Amino acid sequence: GNHKATHSENSQGNKSQHAEEAIFYMNCRAAYLTVLKSSLENIKSKEQLSLVLQQAGRNPSQKTIDKYWTSQTTSLNFDDFCAILKKEKPATKTELLEAFGKIDTDKAGYILHDELYKILTTRGDKMSWEEVSTITKQADFNCSGKLDYNKFCELYLATSEQCCKAARHRLQIDPRLRQQQLGNQPENSSEGVTLPVAKPSPRISRKTDHKLAKGDSRAPSRPSSAQSSKASTSTTVTVGASSSRNTKLIIEPDTMKEWQSAQSRGCFYLEEDGEIISHKYRLHLPQRSAVCVTIKPLNIPQAEGKSCPWLSVDTALFILKENETQENLQLVSFTELQNKEMFGWRGELGSGLYWLLPFTTGCRLRKGKTQITGEAKLVWRDEDGELALTKEFRAALLDIFETIDLDGNGLLSLEEYNFFELRTSGEKCDQEAWAVCKENFEMKKNELTRQGFMDLNLMEANDRDGDPWDLWVTLLSLGYNRALEMTEACPFVIDICAERCKPRIKAISLEAGGSQLSRAVCRAVLNKGEAKVLDGSENIFIYTYRSGSRITSVIENKSENKVIIHVNNEQSKNCLNNRGLTVFAVEVAPKSMMVSQHVMALNEQEEWIYSCVHSLV
């Protein structure tokens, strides 16, 4: 009875979560289709982005717009828009009142118009005198030269909600838009609408990448019992216990001990919206050579009783050849061989420049639901009242140092430190600031030592008189939780050995894989996987490929029309996928390909069965 009750509660919880996701994506689609004709149409300007965000009840500042629309951005698609809305929450009344409260230091409940003009025309996104006058002339919240900001906040929030309601209403009454919303499930279905938790597609979609970037994976699914599928195909793969980690990658020390090598560390970081970013690398080979490339999670020695949750995260490396332009990279190969937690590739590469793009499926590196009770202490005061770092925080900082020390030499160069700065603060340290660091913190050969790194963090704590706020911002951005466990990041190490020349590897950026990586993953599966045509539909193919401990399926739509594919994993056993759902649907644009899902064993010590049915809705 207790078991049934627990199962029922879990089931209700899942339905509630799916319902929330359904409402969220319905609101996203409603706002999007208020400005654009289709969810497959892209946002093409800053102005369009601002307008569509306003339709979703947001009031983006110019700084917010610039964050998502950089100098390199040519367009943003619907997935990008959904990802932005997850990050940019609508302002609450409490937040608005707090902002006004900083101006109203007397807590009188109003702000003089003269003060309002001064602030709004000189600070932040500066408004014109006429724009401010439009606000002060509104009788609902202005009286005797004063603005009643309580009333203003109430009207602002009510107007924002009305805007969202109007978008939803338009979606419901317009048959054309309802069809685009894929709302063709039975009206009386008690199952509701289930949506995939898809990784956001790249923020920057170059014109040459549009065929791939068009895939819209936000379509609602039908209930699994639906009988309206026009065509379907099923795939079953059974994998024995632990067989997915058997030794396949054989590196003979005798034959490779004379080879020249290069190494670099890096890290996968999980964003708030579930997107995964990592370092990207450029590899230079002076001449043609036999090469061995490997990637694996970085094993940082831990204190007794402390685990390394990231060691179970799957890793891969895609090797792309650089041609005339960086936008036209060609897939050479990827690390498909596995030996325990290491993935590798052996082959011959010609001379020239290559890009190495790290990849993880997101099956294991994902947002956790574990509630952390309590918060680790970061600083304390000694008998003399001097601030010091706690033992636990020092241990975490040493682990962070190991992760950001990309060349593993025990020192941080300015370049390595700047990757750390970009991740934690979004800014870079210039040569002048580095020289100041050199005067105040221990360095060797113009590189920061471990002790110098510790002292730098202690100085940050002292700057805020012991307030750990900034320290927590740093820790959380690096994948740590409040218990000082690294649960939302996975440090890794790349090794390259070449027989005839000295390979050189250099970290170039820290960002999402983007369309180049998406294209490479799809192309690898198409090249290596088993292809099945969707029964009854000659233009839709499902490719399935097993590489070591993971299985990936890709949908290729060769037709002239967009298609909706229903994906059902209910017959799979001991599996988890990157979407976090058993049943979902994806919309695939004409003449394009997209990843349906990545799947891994839930428990590698037991047999697992991947059994998936793809159906055309």
Side-chain angles (χ1 to χ4, degrees):
N2 288 341
H3 177 74
K4 285 183 179 178
T6 305
H7 179 76
S8 174
E9 287 173 10
N10 290 341
S11 176
Q12 291 298 322
N14 289 337
K15 283 184 180 179
S16 174
Q17 182 186 351
H18 295 163
E20 285 178 14
E21 289 173 352
I23 292 167
F24 172 75
Y25 288 115
M26 181 188 73
N27 288 336
C28 290
R29 198 174 282 273
Y32 203 81
L33 295 177
T34 302
V35 179
L36 298 149
K37 293 178 182 177
S38 161
S39 60
L40 291 177
E41 188 178 337
N42 288 343
I43 298 167
K44 297 184 177 66
S45 68
K46 283 186 176 184
E47 293 71 28
Q48 249 186 354
L49 175 60
S50 181
L51 189 58
V52 79
L53 285 172
Q54 287 168 4
Q55 292 296 330
R58 309 307 193 262
N59 185 28
S61 64
Q62 191 57 51
K63 185 177 179 182
T64 299
I65 296 296
D66 291 342
K67 181 165 68 170
Y68 299 107
W69 194 282
T70 69
S71 57
Q72 299 176 43
T73 309
T74 58
S75 64
L76 295 169
N77 63 23
F78 179 67
D79 271 356
D80 299 325
F81 174 64
C82 293
I84 291 169
L85 287 191
K86 280 189 174 181
K87 290 180 180 177
E88 304 299 331
K89 307 291 185 186
T92 64
K93 186 174 181 179
T94 302
E95 289 169 339
L96 290 170
L97 290 174
E98 281 179 3
F100 278 111
K102 289 179 181 177
I103 304 169
D104 177 22
T105 53
D106 297 331
K107 309 301 178 192
Y110 59 81
I111 298 170
L112 294 173
H113 286 175
D114 289 346
E115 181 70 9
L116 195 66
Y117 275 107
K118 182 180 176 182
I119 291 169
L120 295 183
T121 58
T122 59
R123 296 186 195 173
D125 289 354
K126 299 179 183 66
M127 297 173 69
S128 67
W129 191 267
E130 292 75 20
E131 287 171 330
V132 182
S133 294
T134 305
I135 297 173
T136 58
K137 286 176 182 176
Q138 295 289 327
D140 292 332
F141 46 81
N142 287 285
C143 183
S144 305
K146 302 172 186 174
L147 178 135
D148 184 329
Y149 58 81
N150 271 286
K151 289 181 179 178
F152 174 82
C153 291
E154 287 171 5
L155 187 63
Y156 168 83
L157 293 171
T159 305
S160 178
E161 179 55 31
Q162 283 171 7
C163 191
C164 294
K165 279 183 179 178
R168 289 196 297 268
H169 180 66
R170 182 169 174 266
L171 187 70
Q172 289 165 359
I173 64 171
D174 190 326
R176 179 183 64 83
L177 295 181
R178 285 192 68 185
Q179 187 178 5
Q180 281 190 21
Q181 198 201 3
L182 313 175
N184 53 355
Q185 61 270 11
E187 290 292 331
N188 58 356
S189 167
S190 61
E191 294 289 328
V193 180
T194 307
L195 295 117
V197 182
K199 284 191 222 173
S201 44
R203 284 187 191 135
I204 301 169
S205 300
R206 302 184 187 276
K207 291 178 182 176
T208 55
D209 298 329
H210 280 180
K211 277 190 179 179
L212 181 66
K214 281 182 182 175
D216 180 358
S217 56
R218 298 293 180 180
S221 73
R222 297 170 58 88
S224 59
S225 58
Q227 298 296 315
S228 62
S229 299
K230 299 174 185 175
S232 69
T233 186
S234 62
T235 304
T236 303
V237 180
T238 302
V239 184
S242 299
S243 66
S244 60
R245 296 172 74 85
N246 284 352
T247 301
K248 290 184 180 179
L249 179 65
I250 302 171
I251 303 173
E252 305 90 342
D254 291 340
T255 61
M256 291 180 58
K257 63 183 179 183
E258 302 299 327
W259 290 23
Q260 299 185 70
S261 63
Q263 184 186 86
S264 184
R265 297 173 182 179
C267 197
F268 295 110
Y269 295 108
L270 191 60
E271 298 278 54
E272 275 301 311
D273 58 8
E275 184 179 39
I276 296 172
I277 70 168
S278 77
H279 294 83
K280 289 182 179 179
Y281 304 84
R282 188 176 270 172
L283 169 67
H284 177 242
L285 286 178
Q287 66 184 80
R288 175 174 288 275
S289 176
V291 173
C292 178
V293 180
T294 65
I295 182 172
K296 65 178 181 180
L298 179 64
N299 192 353
I300 304 171
Q302 295 291 297
E304 191 175 342
K306 203 172 179 187
S307 62
C308 296
W310 65 87
L311 290 180
S312 65
V313 172
D314 61 294
T315 60
L317 204 58
F318 285 81
I319 306 166
L320 285 73
K321 182 74 171 73
E322 185 168 305
N323 296 319
E324 294 78 22
T325 63
Q326 185 182 323
E327 294 166 16
N328 188 28
L329 301 179
Q330 293 182 332
L331 175 66
V332 175
S333 194
F334 63 100
T335 52
E336 59 180 318
L337 303 175
Q338 183 177 4
N339 179 7
K340 297 181 180 178
E341 74 279 357
M342 178 190 289
F343 280 81
W345 175 80
R346 287 191 68 172
E348 190 158 299
L349 293 178
S351 62
L353 290 171
Y354 296 84
W355 282 84
L356 302 180
L357 305 185
F359 171 74
T360 183
T361 59
C363 290
R364 299 224 166 101
L365 184 58
R366 62 201 304 173
K367 289 286 176 184
K369 295 178 181 177
T370 308
Q371 293 294 320
I372 304 297
T373 55
E375 181 177 289
K377 197 173 179 182
L378 304 184
V379 295
W380 63 288
R381 291 190 183 276
D382 61 20
E383 295 173 355
D384 299 324
E386 294 293 321
L387 274 178
L389 307 180
T390 63
K391 180 182 175 183
E392 294 76 17
F393 184 36
R394 287 180 64 84
L397 286 174
L398 287 173
D399 289 351
I400 290 168
F401 188 94
E402 291 299 318
T403 301
I404 63 178
D405 177 18
L406 300 185
D407 61 10
N409 72 342
L411 300 167
L412 293 183
S413 66
L414 174 57
E415 197 169 26
E416 290 170 332
Y417 182 75
N418 270 335
F419 279 120
F420 165 77
E421 276 294 311
L422 281 171
R423 178 63 191 159
T424 57
S425 70
E427 299 175 351
K428 274 189 172 185
C429 175
D430 58 23
Q431 290 287 352
E432 189 177 339
W434 194 244
V436 174
C437 276
K438 192 172 183 179
E439 292 173 8
N440 293 278
F441 306 108
E442 184 180 87
M443 285 200 186
K444 289 182 181 177
K445 300 176 182 176
N446 203 35
E447 295 189 331
L448 194 64
T449 64
R450 285 182 178 84
Q451 187 56 51
F453 183 64
M454 292 285 190
D455 292 341
L456 191 62
N457 281 275
L458 179 58
M459 182 201 73
E460 195 168 318
N462 273 299
D463 282 349
R464 294 186 66 95
D465 197 29
D467 184 346
W469 171 261
D470 285 347
L471 301 176
W472 275 118
V473 169
T474 297
L475 288 164
L476 294 172
S477 67
L478 296 174
Y480 282 81
N481 62 21
R482 296 282 177 174
L484 283 183
E485 300 164 328
M486 194 197 297
T487 54
E488 295 187 359
C490 172
F492 56 79
V493 58
I494 297 169
D495 283 286
I496 300 154
C497 297
E499 184 180 19
R500 301 189 191 98
C501 60
K502 173 70 176 174
R504 298 191 183 281
I505 181 174
K506 181 180 177 64
I508 300 297
S509 61
L510 179 60
E511 59 188 5
S515 54
Q516 293 286 8
L517 183 56
S518 300
R519 187 194 302 277
V521 172
C522 288
R523 185 55 59 193
V525 174
L526 263 63
N527 291 344
K528 299 271 188 176
E530 175 195 0
K532 284 188 178 182
V533 65
L534 216 61
D535 294 341
S537 178
E538 61 184 18
N539 291 317
I540 301 166
F541 295 83
I542 309 297
Y543 295 82
T544 306
Y545 177 62
R546 178 186 161 199
S547 173
S549 58
R550 56 185 170 242
I551 292 171
T552 299
S553 64
V554 166
I555 305 167
E556 184 180 27
N557 177 16
K558 293 185 176 181
S559 74
E560 300 291 339
N561 304 305
K562 71 178 181 184
V563 296
I564 302 163
I565 304 296
H566 185 264
V567 185
N568 189 323
N569 295 296
E570 289 177 322
Q571 298 305 310
S572 291
K573 294 181 180 177
N574 188 30
C575 290
L576 74 161
N577 66 31
N578 65 305
R579 295 183 182 272
L581 294 172
T582 304
V583 180
F584 55 91
V586 291
E587 184 177 298
V588 190
K591 302 288 185 183
S592 70
M593 57 185 174
M594 66 180 295
V595 171
S596 168
Q597 62 182 337
H598 302 287
V599 181
M600 295 183 70
L602 188 61
N603 180 358
E604 288 188 330
Q605 304 308 312
E606 298 176 5
E607 179 184 80
W608 56 290
I609 299 172
Y610 167 72
S611 182
C612 179
V613 178
H614 286 83
S615 310
L616 182 64
V617 177

